[in-house]
Amino acid sequence: GAVLQCRSCDDRVSSGSCEGDHGAEERGEEATLESAPRALLEVLAVVEVARLALRDQVADRAGAAGGPPLRCQDVAVARALECALLDHVGQQSVDMAEAEKKRRRADEAAVVAS
């Protein structure tokens, strides 16, 4: 089936335009499959961050004479997950900003060289 996708930023959209109001066009399943690996890698990275945060919580409880099982309602567990995920997202933002800055510098250098 066809998918509506933004012409400029490649975001999938449910209506005629994306959040950037670029407009949309129909694309086949191939476009969806091409973007799937990137999205899957992002999901896997977030899952790994959560897994490591929970592993640390399990280790902390094991060291504390095997406390009660982990529950998402536990303040310590919720805080550990929230902090780990926020740190991950924050680092991604920093990395993306650095990559964008490098790309802009390369573009500027190419213009100067031409």
Side-chain angles (χ1 to χ4, degrees):
V3 174
L4 282 178
Q5 210 158 11
C6 174
R7 288 186 287 258
S8 297
C9 61
D10 274 347
D11 288 344
R12 283 191 213 163
V13 295
S14 58
S15 63
S17 63
C18 69
E19 289 182 15
D21 201 27
H22 297 124
E25 63 186 10
E26 279 193 16
R27 296 205 181 163
E29 290 179 11
E30 308 81 39
T32 304
L33 294 176
E34 290 171 7
S35 63
R38 185 181 75 213
L40 182 58
L41 289 174
E42 291 172 10
V43 169
L44 289 173
V46 169
V47 168
E48 180 64 7
V49 167
R51 185 189 70 79
L52 292 173
L54 290 173
R55 183 192 67 185
D56 291 345
Q57 286 292 308
V58 168
D60 289 348
R61 287 185 186 224
L70 293 180
R71 296 181 51 201
C72 62
Q73 293 92 353
D74 291 343
V75 173
V77 172
R79 185 173 293 134
L81 281 171
E82 181 180 20
C83 288
L85 293 172
L86 287 174
D87 287 349
H88 174 74
V89 169
Q91 186 59 49
Q92 278 188 317
S93 294
V94 168
D95 294 346
M96 286 174 43
E98 288 176 9
E100 179 63 21
K101 188 176 181 180
K102 286 180 184 178
R103 186 195 61 75
R104 280 196 313 268
R105 285 183 181 161
D107 290 348
E108 290 170 359
V111 168
V112 169
S114 61

